Amino acid sequence: SIYEGSGGLWLGTYGAGLVKYLNGKFTTFTTADGLPGDDVRSICEDSGGTLWIGTHDGGLASYQNGSFKRYGGLSSNLILRLIAKDDALWIGTAKGGLNRFSNGRFESLNSTDGLPSDTVGALVFDGEGNLWLGAIGALCALRDGHFTTYTTREGLPFDIVCLLTPARQGGLWIGTFGGGLSRYHNGVFRSYTEKDGLASSQINSLLEDREGRLWIGTYDAGLLSFDGKRFTRYKEISSKTIIALF
């Protein structure tokens, strides 16, 4: 995970803690410094300037004024994704569904509440304020307290949704791990696979730039871009695995 906030550039690592880059200097924080776990999967900042850190081995922490605060009360300490909006922090977990933290309290939603799965690995808000979730088995939207589920029956290309990002012209870009790329707009899925020029069906990262070009980091074909008509592959990059785009 990589996040650029008011306190510099923050990097989450698999097993080596949280790294801060500011003014040309790297500083590493681990469990020895108060971090609840060293496997950092997601980082975000709320409107009050508090940095939130989701770990996959120790749960949730906040960082403010130079110190960490740990939080108990999650339905699962295996955090996959964080997103902050208004006065709430939304937390996607493995095996614990979706958690919401607001006013010092946790609420959880899981498969008994209508979630298609208790593993939520992607979270994003659309332009209308709806929360979209990528879960194992489906894409899901939370509107007015109710879940709407989209599966391959509704046109979702694959049932493992890893990434979600808003499309500048409306709707969502959806990255799957095994089914390629899709855009959902006005109730319709438009999917792209190798047949359309997409060099890999395993998507690791997505970013739409100011010009509307979509950048795609893949697991096994390096970096791609999509201008709405055709895909371009950048073979100048030696690595075939692109983890993050910013």
Side-chain angles (χ1 to χ4, degrees), residues 26 49 53 80 82 86 89 94 113 116-117 143 159-160 162 177 187 192 204 212 226 233:
F26 289 96
I53 304 104
L80 299 175
L82 301 174
D86 300 328
L89 178 71
D113 302 295
S117 166
R143 301 184 182 95
D159 60 3
I160 300 179
C162 302
F177 200 79
Y192 302 88
N204 276 342
F226 181 58
R233 185 177 180 185

Side-chain angles (χ1 to χ4, degrees), residues 46-66:
D46 66 22
S47 58
T50 297
L51 190 76
W52 293 92
I53 304 104
T55 75
H56 199 254
D57 52 354
L60 180 69
S62 62
Y63 181 79
Q64 195 171 36
N65 300 323

